[in-house]
């Protein structure tokens, strides 16, 4: 835009930057370093030489301003748009833009405390939060007609579809056993529909009365699908040793795609499918434990999965998931969140009550404290359960056809590699907390009324997560539309 204003409209560079800085607002969507764009100067110069020149001018202006404020070269360094042969797009966006926002409270706080802390020091007024939302028309009205009709009947109106805060009115039924049973039966119906779809599409029969425990999202180490898989291996080994173990039958469902060049993510898919093959074909356990990895996970499949979930797996390493929106789709459809204090999970726990969900694992602060002393090998050697499941990656129990996929995951968890201390995403740190929380959940599911009451409490408090609210927040505070 600055190029168009200067080159094609004869506007002075200084004035063009002023106009641009009234136009552009930056929404950050992730704090993963590898996702913050850094473009090579050489490439940019070749592809867009004039934009490159203009960015050089903007960088020069930034450096001059900071020098005038008495910053030393070293102090200016973290702000540089151009440095070491790369263009830092985030620095460019923050400097020129008038607003910087994250997409959940904890994420926006991390931007201020960590990712962009230098910018927050000199431009605190730019920083704000806009918690993500989801559209209730697709993720409830369209995908779950049974629950939609139930809500409309209980509230006596359908105006909640455009004013989701009205769901709060459902709280008057929290102690109405008939209504709680009705809600339970709707979930059962959606689970039966999904079971039929899974039989048709994946060729696997699942028990619709079992707990449907679902993790559907892009495959990534920070999302920790492999923590879920390791825990399933643990359950499998427990059930093998003791088939009469006190255990509510559970169907673990995965879905998601890996980026084509992300080797370890493909290994996680391979592992989930291989554990599924072994568990589902073992007559000692397959009445109580089933594992499904659905093919071609996408919105149309998602619309069938969210309404059928009892448990929503939101188990990212604390501080890594900017917001998440799958977590909100599950909540709106009456699934309970099994999750870390990360992204919008924090706000889900706050809105619906931690006591109506299953929080586990280390917090951002706890992980920051051990960042330089964490030794995953200690967890591996001292915790028999952890040793058992980690060893199973390389014992031959699960077969990766000599691909080294499973050895790669094993090495990442317990072998320090090239300056990386191992277990970058703290799976072993959180394993015992995750195991215990699963164990409690598994028992509490048997109290249908109590479980259903928690489901209703979550649905009734999902109003905040409507994207209608999010969009109004952007319009009011950033776009300034009246
Ligand atoms: C909502 C949605 C996502 C995002 O899920 P997260 O759990 O928030 O990562 C990804 N893919 C599909 C198909 C979705 O519907």
């Amino acid at each position: 835009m600055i190029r168009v204003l200067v080159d094609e409209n004869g506007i002075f560079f200084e004035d063009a930057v002023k106009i641009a800085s009234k136009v552009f607002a930056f929404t950050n969507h992730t704090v993963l370093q590898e996702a913050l764009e850094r473009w090579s100067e050489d490439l940019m110069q070749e592809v867009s030489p004039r934009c490159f020149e203009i960015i050089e001018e903007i960088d020069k202006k930034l450096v001059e301003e900071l020098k005038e404020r008495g910053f030393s070269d070293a102090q200016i360094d973290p702000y540089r748009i151009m440095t070491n042969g790369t263009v830092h797009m985030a620095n460019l966006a923050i400097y020129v833009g008038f607003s910087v926002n994250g997409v959940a409270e904890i994420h926006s706080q991390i931007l201020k405390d960590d990712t962009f802390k230098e910018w927050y020091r000199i431009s605190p007024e730019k920083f704000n939060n806009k918690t993500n939302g989801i559209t209730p028309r697709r993720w409830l009205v369209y995908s779950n007609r049974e629950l939609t009709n139930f809500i409309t009947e209980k509230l006596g109106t359908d105006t909640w579809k455009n004013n989701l805060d009205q769901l709060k009115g459902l709280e008057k039924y929290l102690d109405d056993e008939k209504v709680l049973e009705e809600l339970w039966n709707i979930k059962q119906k959606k689970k039966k529909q999904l079971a039929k779809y899974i039989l048709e599409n994946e060729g696997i029969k699942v028990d619709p009365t079992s707990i449907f425990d679902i993790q559907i999202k892009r495959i990534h180490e920070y999302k920790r699908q492999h923590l879920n898989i390791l825990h399933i291996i643990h359950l499998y080994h427990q059930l093998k040793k003791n088939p009469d173990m006190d255990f509510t039958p559970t169907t673990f469902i995965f879905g998601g795609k890996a980026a084509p060049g992300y080797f370890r993510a493909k290994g996680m898919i391979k592992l989930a499918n291989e554990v599924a093959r072994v568990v589902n074909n073992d007559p000692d356990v397959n009445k109580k434990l089933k594992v499904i990895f659905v093919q071609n996970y996408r919105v149309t499949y998602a619309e069938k999965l969210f309404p059928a979930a009892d448990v929503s797996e939101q188990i990212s390493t604390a501080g890594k998931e900017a917001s998440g929106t799958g977590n909100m789709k599950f909540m709106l459809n009456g699934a309970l969140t099994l999750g870390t204090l990360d992204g919008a999970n924090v706000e889900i726990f706050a809105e619906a009550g931690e006591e109506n969900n299953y929080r586990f694992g280390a917090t951002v602060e706890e992980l920051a404290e051990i960042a330089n002393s964490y030794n995953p090998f200690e967890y591996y050697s001292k915790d028999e359960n952890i040793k058992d499941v980690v060893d199973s990656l390389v014992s031959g129990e699960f077969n990766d056809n000599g691909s080294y996929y499973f050895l790669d995951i094993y090495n990442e968890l317990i072998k320090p590699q090239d300056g990386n201390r191992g277990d970058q995403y703290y799976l072993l740190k959180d394993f015992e907390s995750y195991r215990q929380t699963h164990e409690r959940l598994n028992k509490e599911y048997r109290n249908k009324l109590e479980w259903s009451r928690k489901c209703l409490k979550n649905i009734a408090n999902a109003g905040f997560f409507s994207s209608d609210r999010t969009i109004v927040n952007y319009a009011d505070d950033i776009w300034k539309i009246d």
Side-chain angles (χ1 to χ4, degrees):
M1 182 173 165
I2 292 172
R3 186 193 62 77
V4 168
L5 291 175
V6 171
D7 294 356
E8 294 173 19
N9 293 274
I11 292 172
F12 289 127
F13 173 75
E14 286 284 339
D15 294 333
V17 173
K18 273 192 196 131
I19 293 169
S21 63
K22 288 184 186 177
V23 169
F24 291 101
F26 168 34
T27 299
N28 174 274
H29 289 270
T30 174
V31 297
L32 297 185
Q33 282 308 317
E34 62 270 29
L36 285 176
E37 286 185 29
R38 289 191 177 106
W39 294 351
S40 120
E41 288 186 14
D42 293 344
L43 179 67
M44 201 174 235
Q45 197 159 25
E46 195 178 307
V47 173
S48 187
R50 181 56 181 145
C51 284
F52 181 81
E53 259 173 23
I54 288 168
I55 294 169
E56 278 186 313
E57 285 304 308
I58 296 171
D59 182 60
K60 214 167 88 189
K61 179 173 150 66
L62 163 70
V63 171
E64 274 168 19
E65 275 176 24
L66 292 175
K67 279 213 166 115
E68 240 162 69
R69 295 178 56 163
F71 282 55
S72 69
D73 284 350
Q75 285 171 320
I76 292 172
D77 234 34
Y79 298 92
R80 292 291 303 241
I81 296 163
M82 283 178 161
T83 176
N84 300 326
T86 54
V87 180
H88 292 243
M89 298 307 289
N91 283 350
L92 177 62
I94 300 171
Y95 177 53
V96 177
F98 66 89
S99 168
V100 181
N101 76 280
V103 292
E105 288 288 349
I106 187 175
H107 169 56
S108 296
Q109 194 60 45
I110 288 168
L111 295 184
K112 296 194 285 187
D113 291 346
D114 186 26
T115 321
F116 303 134
K117 58 178 184 292
E118 291 89 1
W119 287 104
Y120 181 62
R121 210 171 295 137
I122 64 170
S123 305
E125 73 288 348
K126 287 188 182 179
F127 284 76
N128 66 97
N129 173 248
K130 297 288 169 279
T131 298
N132 275 166
I134 54 163
T135 171
R137 272 75 63 186
R138 178 185 291 272
W139 296 112
L140 179 49
V141 178
Y142 175 78
S143 61
N144 197 341
R145 264 177 261 197
E146 294 85 349
L147 184 57
T148 297
N149 293 339
F150 165 91
I151 294 168
T152 297
E153 188 203 307
K154 297 305 171 236
L155 295 179
T157 171
D158 71 350
T159 55
W160 59 271
K161 295 173 183 173
N162 294 300
N163 183 0
L164 207 63
D165 287 329
Q166 290 177 10
L167 291 180
K168 193 79 182 171
L170 294 169
E171 287 204 335
K172 70 169 179 251
Y173 297 103
L174 281 172
D175 296 313
D176 187 326
E177 296 194 359
K178 237 190 89 218
V179 170
L180 294 178
E181 198 178 313
E182 216 182 311
L183 181 62
W184 178 275
N185 291 335
I186 288 168
K187 181 65 77 180
Q188 280 311 116
K189 187 163 180 195
K190 300 313 283 185
K191 289 166 70 176
K192 275 187 198 151
Q193 291 170 3
L194 177 63
K196 180 169 178 284
Y197 191 81
I198 286 176
L199 181 60
E200 287 164 5
N201 275 268
E202 321 298 339
I204 301 171
K205 203 166 170 173
V206 301
D207 171 8
T209 69
S210 65
I211 300 173
F212 277 20
D213 181 306
I214 307 188
Q215 186 173 21
I216 41 177
K217 48 184 73 253
R218 294 300 297 256
I219 310 298
H220 199 290
E221 288 168 277
Y222 87 79
K223 292 174 182 283
R224 301 199 294 191
Q225 281 93 354
H226 47 345
L227 173 59
N228 190 344
I229 302 164
L230 289 177
H231 175 256
I232 293 167
I233 296 173
H234 168 73
L235 290 176
Y236 173 53
H237 288 174
Q238 294 296 110
L239 281 166
K240 279 296 269 188
K241 266 192 282 186
N242 180 8
D244 299 323
M245 183 173 85
D246 190 31
F247 180 74
T248 314
T250 303
T251 303
F252 289 95
I253 301 172
F254 292 89
K257 290 171 179 170
Y262 191 172
F263 179 84
R264 196 166 288 150
K266 291 181 174 184
M268 290 158 71
I269 295 176
K270 182 75 183 164
L271 183 61
N273 277 280
E274 175 63 5
V275 171
R277 189 185 65 78
V278 170
V279 168
N280 298 347
N281 289 301
D282 190 331
D284 294 347
V285 306
N286 65 13
K287 293 279 172 296
K288 292 184 168 178
L289 191 60
K290 275 269 167 71
V291 184
I292 311 289
F293 194 103
V294 304
Q295 301 174 52
N296 195 13
Y297 174 61
R298 62 201 187 282
V299 167
T300 43
Y301 214 135
E303 288 163 355
K304 300 175 194 307
L305 289 159
F306 286 110
D310 295 307
V311 179
S312 158
E313 295 265 357
Q314 306 300 332
I315 63 177
S316 54
T317 311
K320 296 296 181 189
E321 189 74 87
S323 162
T325 53
N327 47 4
M328 302 167 188
K329 300 168 197 169
F330 279 117
M331 179 195 196
L332 186 58
N333 281 279
L336 307 191
T337 301
L338 168 54
T340 49
L341 269 187
D342 199 18
N345 299 352
V346 177
E347 290 155 83
I348 288 174
F349 295 145
E351 295 286 321
E354 213 174 283
E355 69 282 10
N356 298 304
N357 285 290
Y358 293 91
R359 179 178 101 61
F360 79 98
T363 63
V364 170
E365 293 77 17
E366 286 164 352
L367 294 183
E369 210 163 291
I370 62 163
N372 297 316
S373 61
Y374 178 55
N375 181 359
F377 195 81
E378 235 175 78
Y379 285 83
Y380 167 83
S381 10
K382 287 182 182 161
D383 184 324
E384 273 182 37
N385 292 328
I386 292 176
K387 184 165 192 309
D388 174 65
V389 296
V390 171
D391 284 345
S392 79
L393 294 172
V394 292
S395 68
E397 181 177 10
F398 305 107
N399 180 4
D400 63 4
N401 305 104
S403 63
Y404 296 102
Y405 273 137
F406 301 169
L407 178 64
D408 171 65
I409 294 171
Y410 173 88
N411 284 337
E412 152 57 22
L413 291 177
I414 60 167
K415 298 268 166 76
Q417 287 158 311
D418 32 70
N420 174 348
R421 59 147 155 71
D423 195 14
Q424 218 197 320
Y425 293 100
Y426 299 98
L427 274 75
L428 307 193
K429 165 85 184 155
D430 279 347
F431 185 88
E432 176 57 13
S433 172
Y434 185 57
R435 189 197 65 75
Q436 283 180 17
T437 309
H438 258 298
E439 196 170 76
R440 182 163 63 85
L441 176 162
N442 186 274
K443 287 204 166 56
E444 290 179 356
Y445 183 79
R446 294 176 199 171
N447 188 339
K448 286 188 186 184
L449 276 183
E450 262 309 294
W451 186 275
S452 198
R453 203 187 62 78
K454 290 175 183 169
C455 294
L456 187 61
K457 184 83 183 169
N458 273 275
I459 297 167
N461 289 284
F464 178 73
F465 302 103
S466 170
S467 52
D468 299 346
R469 186 269 313 151
T470 310
I471 292 164
V472 167
N473 289 165
Y474 276 94
D476 287 350
D477 303 342
I478 299 181
W479 308 331
K480 307 281 160 86
I481 298 167
D482 34 53

